[in-house]
Amino acid sequence: MNGNKVTLILLSGLFLVLPAACRTTPISLVRIENPSLRIEFNDRMHSRVVLKSGGQETRFGEFSPSETVTVSGREIADFSLTNESHQPVRDRLGSGTRYQLQGSSSSLVKELSLTLYDDFPDVAVFEVQYTNVGKSPLQVERWTNHRYQINTSSSSDPPVWSYQAGSYQNRPDWVVPLKPGFKQDNFQGMNATDYGGGTPISDLWRRDGGIAVGHLELTPKQVSLPVAMPDSHQATLAIQAAVNTSCKPGQTLKTLRTFLAVHQGDYFQSLVNYRRLMIQQGLSFKAAPADAFEPIWCAWGYGRNVTMNQVYGALPVVKELGLKWVTLDDGWQTAEGDWDLDRTKFPNGDSDMKALVNRLHAEGFKAQLWWAPLAVDPETKLIQDHPDYLLLNADGSRRKISWWDSFYLCPALPQVREGARRLVTRAMRDWGFDGLKIDGQHLNAAPPCYNPVHQHGRPEDAFEEVPGFFQAIYETALSLRPNALIEICPCGTAYSFFTMPYMNMSVASDPESSWQIRLKGKTLKALMGNGVAYFGDHVDMSDGGEDFASTVGVGGVVGTNFTWPPGSAPDRKLDLTPEKQKRWAHWIKVYRSKMLPHGEYLGTLYDLGFDRPEAHAIRKGQSLYYAFYAADWNGQIELRGLGPRCYRVLDYTNNHDLGTVYGPRAVLDVRFKSHLLIEARPE
């Protein structure tokens, strides 16, 4: 049928393949498997996961209490497994086999539904529920799914890498090697007053394979995806949710729909599978317009005190360098929330803004406008007229947005959404802008709202309806300009997956290193696909302030926020000196000649954690483009993914011929510092 099967080992030691019927005999071991994975359950409903690939089996750890519930401070982890059934299924995720396991523990009955789908052979989808069969209510505090132990080896340093899904104020790397003592909860709710959200997946991988867990709900949920390495011998991951509810006799508590995925290499494939699963359930990602891949100049180098004369003065150099987008950043408005034009910069109001946009269009540029929706400054007219728009904490206080010293508007409130639509209409229809740069760490998630005027069904409505707020913006913009560029920059946070369908440009989002530019590029290409633009952000924030290679090599859009002429802005590091201008011109020419964002990022060819030097690959046409990164490398590099033919290899940034190689894999001896970008062109 589909290669899925279940085998039970009874206490007597006999091996049986069960029919689609329930058994009540105590069970010693259940094996549920397909050609890619096997999940084993013991008689206490503890489980372990096995990756199957190329005739080899990789067991990640020992049996552990993977699905548990905590009642009145006690975690209930052992359920006597007695019943199993399975049957074919077809639903929105396709055809497959669904397995039902049942066990009991005192006054609780646990039912675990596990589905293996034909189209997702690396994934198992879980639904778990607990029924109170006792005579007294049970105070359920939280549930845990997919708590798996991954054994590590001291022979590998580091022994395990991880993809982390949480958003924190210190803006940590999303991909990290684990060390003993590491722990990160990856809570998807708020981890600071204005930092929260993320992608509901955590991933651990060793050299020989990895495992990912997450949930498949279509809206954000306040769950945690804890990753830990308690000692040098093991690492763990899980998905958990606090429920704090009373379960009365006869009532059933259901967990979210969750999944585990196995893979070889790094986390890329598990994120691709997650995106595919969500698309199968109805989410969609529109391809970015062709203009979205043009290089960008942003006026943020001048800061909030930017003047229009500074913008106009820089345009000749911007044009000479081949930059096609001009972004008017923070500073055009009177205040966050009111979004009126600053009359010291636009004395004639709308006509001056229109004149700016018309000038940009006349000189061949596209115009993008910065905006920070959901933020409203104290003492603004909006607060004076509509204090009821504010998101309130449980104690009735206003929720703070730290960087702008502002407050949250409630994203679930219809009047707030309508105000956002009006701003989009004004910017795009009245002023003529071609795109929006939507900015702010507070946009990745919103806290629960307790404002009684809003009459939310639950305070969590504000948190779960953030994507709907962005959907209103996105659909309004595209209705006015079908080729509008909609960039969301959540300022260093781990992007919320649930807002991704409502943008066509992601961004490195205030990277703190070139490493972050590259790892974010790989992550966002997995989550959003190749058709959506990834902006490497201002090169001025990369290592050394000029690492174009990190953006070019991963297929990102290049950009800068240089200031010109030198000395025209407070931060002299942003001065475009004659020497820098030559380097900027070279790299922008390289970018425009290759346009690698139009290629296919081949994220499974190289392991971001274990392969050295760090490597990325892109297929465009019949050529393959490779990017290697290391502080100082002298040795071999491997070109993977080639066809069985001869290729001419060129260092295309320096126009240096490296000779010929033959596929499907080839090895070159090279020496480089920082980076090596090469093209393998079939002969």
Side-chain angles (χ1 to χ4, degrees), residues 446-461:
C449 178
Y450 295 86
N451 193 326
V453 177
H454 299 177
Q455 298 183 334
H456 298 306
R458 301 174 303 134
E460 292 79 12
D461 287 352

Side-chain angles (χ1 to χ4, degrees), residues 172-327:
D173 293 341
W174 303 350
V175 177
V176 294
L178 298 192
K179 298 179 180 180
F182 178 91
K183 183 178 181 181
Q184 187 165 306
D185 284 339
N186 295 303
F187 180 51
Q188 301 289 285
M190 303 304 294
N191 292 305
T193 181
D194 49 358
Y195 280 80
T199 297
I201 308 171
S202 286
D203 194 304
L204 290 176
W205 72 95
R206 307 181 307 210
R207 286 185 180 275
D208 57 352
I211 186 168
V213 304
H215 78 69
L216 291 173
E217 301 297 320
L218 292 175
T219 56
K221 301 297 179 182
Q222 296 190 90
V223 300
S224 296
L225 295 113
V227 172
M229 190 175 187
D231 54 48
S232 61
H233 304 296
Q234 64 174 320
T236 62
L237 78 173
I239 179 168
Q240 296 178 332
V243 291
N244 296 317
T245 187
S246 177
C247 186
K248 298 178 181 178
Q251 284 189 331
T252 296
L253 171 73
K254 295 183 178 182
T255 72
L256 301 180
R257 197 178 190 207
T258 60
F259 72 93
L260 75 88
V262 294
H263 59 90
Q264 291 185 307
D266 65 23
Y267 66 109
F268 184 85
Q269 188 59 48
S270 61
L271 297 192
V272 170
N273 282 337
Y274 172 68
R275 169 169 52 88
R276 291 178 55 228
L277 287 161
M278 297 298 278
I279 289 173
Q280 199 76 11
Q281 295 184 91
L283 294 186
S284 63
F285 294 84
K286 291 184 179 179
D291 288 335
F293 300 97
E294 294 288 358
I296 300 168
W297 176 74
C298 180
W300 179 239
Y302 298 106
R304 285 174 168 170
N305 295 322
V306 61
T307 68
M308 294 310 101
N309 284 338
Q310 288 173 320
V311 175
Y312 288 131
L315 293 182
V317 178
V318 174
K319 188 172 187 178
E320 181 182 343
L321 288 172
L323 297 155
K324 295 297 184 178
W325 279 92
V326 171
T327 304

